[in-house]
């Protein structure tokens, strides 16, 4: 008797456990906020949970036994539009799992209502598109406005100049004075527009530097020379502390000239006695420049605002052109575009010192920039460009035979000859591996071969004259883009093959 | 006798899913099958009654009415193999379904 009771008792316990387990799983399905649908293999709805009523805005009973359809999900899940009678359509995330239902193949479909999330995503996407459009509009606006402003300005200036030149008839002294003032203000306005355009382009990231290897020492000397007259007039000394020999820097010569002109010009405006000093120093990884003066100095309070736009400080500048308030902002922009840094130190009444550094580049980096610029130009102009590689056979051995110095001198001479032969129509880079690379724009295969021949002639002549023909053997190779190569890597490979 | 397919595609306006389904379906129909087809595109927003009658719950939904049996698939139809399988469409190499009739009510 006991055994039977135990069996019955055990049976009751098992049943209880089963009921509890079933209750747990049922509550998961019942309380799930996502719609859970079970269909048979053909898509007929076997079960729909209460959440589905909310998602589809329909009573579950109306759908049991009806055809849901075969959900085709590529991968994990797919997005669908939820059709809700009487309401706006929603968006859902549909997960499908193949499973079994009462021992038959079935589909377990879970649909999460992501209508709100989708709305937010769409709004974000739209906002992004608007921002991009605005950016483009801004850039177009700046260049259009500058152009529009310049035209009436130059017409006005033309008219005033004609009257001042007495082309329209005689004018008296008073009229001459007034028109003179008007004309110089138009010039000032034109400068402001130019500067505005400059700084807008810099800020919009639309300035592309045209960098090349330039003798920066020579550049400074040139700029200093242009100020000589004004300096003499004001009886201010100019100290140019710049190395005598050439110092090559990879810079945009026009923009760098703009920087020095601005800094020296500023110094001149605020210095009435003493001197202005320009120094240049080559360091390991950078080139350091300083423009210092013994002028009126800048107040500590104003120092942080020095590079801001339209800042012109208390002191009345000396005679001469009035500034635009944008010069230093532009200068800072140009230095930073070059990858450099600029800063200022000053003491009221004692003087001001502007310092900046420009990074140094390896020949490899310079070569890459020339190459990419050349390729970009070729694409823009739908033209071609050429890479010519001149290599020296057994360069390593030769470097040991001759000293490093002598080899360096020979290479530089050959580089000079190449430049002369090209007559400034291409970029030349002397690589550390003893290769001389030439990049030519607008050059098809025929023209390339003719250039190659000219170079070969000139270099052979040099080697013969120096009695080096025996030891130094040159190899020539070239490749044209886009005809013979699709990218920079292929171009270099092809050119090296010769 | 060329095989004739009669298809109905339910979409919701011009949501990205609707556009994808339409594009994918057109591609499948013109690229791989021999036969003729008649396709009706129905916008559930514009004609909700038709959607109710066909018991549409979600779009895009493609219904094959002919040849039997009736098949209903849901999704953006991007997996060509699955679509063919789901519609019992037989793939024939090197042909396209000749369009005999296409109606779009969107």
């Amino acid at each position: 008797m006991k055994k039977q009771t135990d069996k019955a008792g055990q049976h009751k316990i098992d049943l209880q456990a089963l009921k509890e387990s079933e209750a747990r799983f049922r509550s998961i399905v019942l309380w799930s906020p996502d719609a859970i649908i079970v269909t048979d293999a053909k898509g007929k709805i076997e079960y729909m949970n209460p959440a589905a009523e909310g998602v589809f805005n329909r009573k579950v009973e109306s759908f049991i036994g009806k055809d849901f359809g075969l959900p085709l999900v590529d991968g994990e899940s797919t997005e669908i539009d939820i059709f809700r009678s009487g309401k706006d359509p929603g968006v859902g995330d549909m997960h499908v799992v193949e499973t079994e239902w009462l021992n038959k193949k079935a589909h377990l479909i879970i649909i999460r209502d992501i209508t709100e999330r989708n709305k937010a995503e769409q709004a974000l996407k739209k906002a992004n598109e608007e921002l991009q459009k605005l950016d483009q509009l801004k850039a177009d606006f700046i260049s259009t406005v500058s152009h529009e402003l310049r035209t009436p300005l130059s017409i006005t200036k033309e008219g005033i100049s004609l009257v001042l030149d007495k082309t329209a008839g005689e004018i008296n002294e008073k009229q001459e004075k007034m028109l003179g003032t008007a004309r110089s203000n138009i010039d000032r306005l034109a400068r402001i527009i130019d500067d505005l355009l400059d700084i807008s382009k810099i800020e919009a990231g639309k300035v592309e530097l045209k960098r090349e290897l330039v003798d920066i020492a020579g550049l400074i000397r040139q700029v200093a020379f242009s100020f000589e007259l004004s300096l003499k007039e004001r009886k201010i000394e100019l100290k140019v502390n710049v190395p005598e020999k050439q110092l090559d820097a990879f810079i945009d010569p026009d923009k760098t000239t703009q920087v020095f002109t601005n800094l020296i010009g500023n110094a001149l405006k605020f210095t009435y006695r003493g001197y202005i000093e320009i120094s240049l120093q080559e360091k390991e990884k950078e080139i350091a420049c300083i423009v210092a003066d013994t002028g009126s100095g800048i107040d500590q309070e104003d120092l942080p605002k020095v590079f801001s736009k339209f800042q012109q400080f208390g002191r009345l500048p000396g005679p001469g052109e009035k500034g635009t308030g944008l010069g230093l902002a532009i200068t800072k922009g140009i230095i930073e575009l070059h990858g450099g840094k600029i800063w200022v130190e000053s003491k009221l009444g004692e003087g001001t010192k502007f310092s900046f550094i420009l990074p140094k580049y390896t020949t490899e980096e310079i070569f890459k920039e020339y190459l990419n610029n050349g390729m970009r130009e070729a694409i823009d102009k739908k033209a071609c460009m050429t890479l010519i590689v001149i290599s020296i056979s057994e360069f390593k051995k030769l470097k040991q035979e001759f000293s490093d110095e002598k080899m360096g001198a020979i290479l530089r001479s050959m580089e000079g000859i190449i430049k002369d032969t090209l007559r400034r129509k291409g970029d030349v880079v002397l690589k550390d591996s003893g290769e001389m690379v030439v990049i030519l724009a607008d050059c098809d295969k025929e023209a390339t071969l003719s250039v190659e021949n000219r170079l070969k002639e000139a270099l052979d002549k040099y080697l013969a004259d120096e009695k080096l023909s025996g030891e130094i053997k040159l190899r020539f190779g070239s490749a044209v883009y886009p005809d013979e190569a699709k990218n920079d890597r292929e171009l270099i490979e092809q050119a090296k093959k010769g | 006798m060329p095989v004739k397919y009669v298809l109905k595609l339910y979409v919701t306006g011009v949501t990205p899913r609707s556009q994808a389904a339409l594009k994918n379906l057109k591609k499948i129909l013109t690229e791989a099958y021999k036969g003729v087809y008649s396709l009706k595109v129905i916008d559930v927003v514009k004609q909700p009654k038709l959607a109710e009658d066909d018991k549409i719950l979600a779009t895009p939904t493609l219904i094959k009415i002919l040849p039997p049996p009736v098949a209903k698939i849901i999704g953006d139809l991007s997996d060509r193999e699955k679509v063919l399988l789901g519609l019992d469409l037989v793939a024939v190499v090197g042909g396209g379904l000749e369009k005999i009739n296409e109606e779009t009510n969107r």
Side-chain angles (χ1 to χ4, degrees):
Chain A
M1 262 306 277
K2 196 156 190 259
K3 241 196 174 151
Q4 265 207 329
T5 335
D6 279 347
K7 228 180 169 178
Q10 186 59 42
H11 187 73
K12 233 181 165 176
I13 294 170
D14 287 343
L15 203 59
Q16 184 63 19
L18 198 62
K19 270 195 177 160
E20 281 172 7
S21 165
E22 197 255 12
R24 267 187 238 118
F25 285 106
R26 179 184 287 262
S27 58
I28 292 175
V29 171
L30 284 181
W31 294 107
S32 162
D34 300 331
I36 299 177
I37 303 173
V38 179
T39 70
D40 68 7
K42 288 229 164 12
K44 192 168 72 138
I45 299 175
E46 305 269 16
Y47 172 77
M48 238 168 132
N49 76 342
E53 288 193 344
V55 172
F56 292 101
N57 201 32
R58 262 169 267 227
K59 282 271 171 259
V60 167
E61 297 81 55
S62 67
F63 273 89
I64 302 291
K66 299 293 190 312
D67 200 10
F68 177 75
L70 262 173
L72 289 186
V73 170
D74 189 22
E76 285 258 323
S77 63
T78 194
E79 276 186 12
I80 48 153
D81 296 302
I82 301 170
F83 177 57
R84 302 193 278 222
S85 49
K87 268 171 88 176
D88 282 339
V91 184
D93 207 26
M94 181 170 78
H95 273 256
V96 178
V97 180
E98 268 188 33
T99 182
E100 266 188 15
W101 179 266
L102 302 175
N103 289 320
K104 278 191 281 199
K105 194 163 144 224
H107 286 123
L108 175 64
I109 302 159
I110 301 177
I111 299 177
R112 170 163 297 184
D113 188 336
I114 57 168
T115 312
E116 287 312 310
R117 189 184 87 187
N118 190 264
K119 272 202 200 137
E121 277 175 7
Q122 294 301 325
L124 201 64
K125 201 168 149 210
K126 206 160 171 238
N128 230 5
E129 284 170 11
E130 288 297 318
L131 273 173
Q132 283 185 334
K133 263 200 257 169
L134 217 65
D135 227 12
Q136 184 60 37
L137 269 175
K138 210 167 79 161
D140 293 340
F141 177 76
I142 291 167
S143 59
T144 308
V145 166
S146 319
H147 185 76
E148 296 298 321
L149 287 175
R150 281 204 188 112
T151 312
L153 208 61
S154 67
I155 294 173
T156 308
K157 185 175 171 187
E158 213 17 60
I160 293 181
S161 297
L162 281 174
V163 176
L164 273 173
D165 291 342
K166 306 199 170 102
T167 314
E170 275 300 319
I171 54 174
N172 63 43
E173 210 180 293
K174 210 167 171 195
Q175 288 167 329
E176 197 166 351
K177 199 155 171 234
M178 289 186 169
L179 287 174
T181 307
R183 183 162 67 177
S184 58
N185 271 282
I186 291 182
D187 284 339
R188 175 148 187 253
L189 200 52
R191 282 198 304 279
I192 295 178
I193 293 176
D194 281 345
D195 280 357
L196 262 176
L197 191 60
D198 263 356
I199 196 66
S200 304
K201 275 203 249 176
I202 291 177
E203 286 186 346
K206 298 238 182 274
V207 171
E208 269 180 38
L209 295 178
K210 289 208 182 62
R211 291 199 278 197
E212 30 179 296
L213 276 174
V214 176
D215 173 18
I216 190 169
L219 188 149
I220 293 176
R221 273 192 284 267
Q222 251 184 321
V223 177
F225 182 68
S226 67
F227 279 96
E228 243 190 40
L229 212 56
S230 324
L231 286 158
K232 264 210 185 110
E233 270 176 31
R234 300 268 296 275
K235 298 210 176 62
I236 296 172
E237 192 193 339
L238 181 64
K239 299 188 185 178
V240 179
N241 215 335
V242 155
E244 273 304 317
K245 67 174 169 82
Q246 192 169 316
L247 176 54
D248 281 342
F250 191 50
I251 52 175
D252 180 319
D254 288 338
K255 300 253 175 333
T256 309
T257 301
Q258 204 176 346
V259 164
F260 282 108
T261 307
N262 172 251
L263 291 174
I264 300 174
N266 273 353
L268 194 58
K269 256 191 265 181
F270 295 95
T271 308
Y272 314 104
R273 50 176 172 70
Y275 62 85
I276 298 173
E277 181 174 8
I278 312 166
S279 334
L280 182 67
Q281 203 191 3
E282 183 181 8
K283 302 219 171 118
E284 198 191 316
K285 290 225 167 94
E286 61 208 18
I287 295 175
C289 306
I290 296 177
V291 176
D293 63 53
T294 55
S296 42
I298 303 168
D299 202 303
Q300 287 303 307
E301 253 185 44
D302 294 330
L303 270 183
K305 301 189 245 163
V306 158
F307 295 106
S308 310
K309 298 199 281 277
F310 298 118
Q311 291 297 338
Q312 292 187 298
F313 302 126
R315 301 275 155 176
L316 273 138
E321 285 179 357
K322 276 225 176 74
T324 58
L326 291 169
L328 281 173
I330 295 173
T331 294
K332 179 165 185 270
I334 294 174
I335 300 283
E336 289 177 354
L337 270 173
H338 277 89
K341 252 175 54 173
I342 183 168
W343 63 96
V344 64
E345 295 154 81
S346 183
K347 208 145 179 221
L348 255 187
E350 289 184 19
T352 308
K353 180 167 132 183
F354 279 92
S355 317
F356 67 88
I357 48 167
L358 294 168
K360 274 162 73 160
Y361 292 87
T362 61
T363 49
E364 192 59 39
E365 288 165 325
I366 295 174
F367 167 55
K368 281 240 152 69
E369 177 141 338
Y370 279 159
L371 191 59
N372 286 319
N373 280 350
M375 284 168 71
R376 207 182 331 124
E377 243 191 72
I379 295 173
D380 283 344
K381 300 199 176 142
K382 298 212 177 33
C384 51
M385 56 111 17
T386 298
L387 179 66
I388 299 179
V389 177
I390 304 168
S391 39
I392 300 177
S393 315
E394 298 187 14
F395 182 65
K396 282 201 192 116
K397 217 169 105 195
L398 281 172
K399 267 222 293 201
Q400 287 174 347
E401 263 186 46
F402 299 91
S403 63
D404 263 0
E405 259 181 31
K406 179 143 204 258
M407 202 67 227
I410 296 174
L411 283 172
R412 273 195 293 279
S413 306
M414 290 204 281
E415 187 191 6
I417 291 175
I418 296 174
K419 282 190 173 155
D420 288 338
T421 312
L422 291 177
R423 280 167 277 169
R424 287 253 7 170
K425 283 214 277 181
D427 291 317
V428 186
V429 177
L430 191 52
K431 293 175 85 175
D432 299 326
S433 50
E435 285 167 329
M436 288 164 284
V437 190
V438 179
I439 294 163
L440 293 167
D442 243 350
C443 207
D444 61 15
K445 193 70 191 175
E446 224 188 281
T448 302
L449 290 172
S450 121
V451 170
E452 245 184 279
N453 283 333
R454 285 209 328 261
L455 289 173
K456 197 167 186 303
E457 259 183 50
L459 287 170
D460 281 345
K461 181 167 182 307
Y462 163 77
L463 289 173
D465 288 344
E466 297 292 312
K467 307 230 191 323
L468 293 164
S469 311
E471 288 107 330
I472 299 185
K473 301 253 177 281
L474 299 174
R475 230 180 36 233
F476 287 76
S478 63
V480 180
Y481 171 89
D483 306 355
E484 296 178 329
K486 286 195 291 287
N487 55 41
D488 52 356
R489 203 179 32 87
E490 280 182 27
L491 194 61
I492 298 171
E493 257 178 51
Q494 191 64 24
K496 281 197 186 172
K497 272 201 220 144
Chain B
M1 256 286 286
V3 181
K4 180 179 160 185
Y5 290 90
V6 176
L7 306 161
K8 261 202 256 192
L9 179 67
Y10 281 91
V11 292
T12 303
V14 284
T15 65
R17 295 154 286 282
S18 307
Q19 293 175 329
L22 199 57
K23 194 173 107 182
N24 289 328
L25 183 59
K26 287 270 170 84
K27 209 161 172 239
I28 295 172
L29 292 174
T30 55
E31 274 177 17
Y33 308 98
K34 261 211 165 77
V36 297
Y37 74 87
S38 151
L39 171 68
K40 207 163 165 181
V41 179
I42 303 166
D43 182 349
V44 305
V45 178
K46 295 234 175 89
Q47 301 187 283
K49 179 104 194 355
L50 288 180
E52 300 256 19
D53 291 344
D54 261 329
K55 291 266 185 286
I56 299 296
L57 274 174
T59 74
T61 294
L62 176 63
I63 305 179
K64 171 176 73 90
I65 300 166
L66 283 179
V70 168
K72 198 172 175 186
I73 18 185
I74 302 176
D76 63 2
L77 312 177
S78 50
D79 190 333
R80 179 194 284 220
E81 302 305 317
K82 289 198 181 141
V83 174
L84 308 186
L85 225 58
L87 294 182
D88 290 328
L89 276 174
V90 175
V92 179
V93 177
L97 272 187
E98 193 187 306
K99 205 159 50 156
I100 58 159
N101 175 29
E102 184 176 308
E103 253 177 79
T104 306
N105 292 310
R106 302 172 86 221

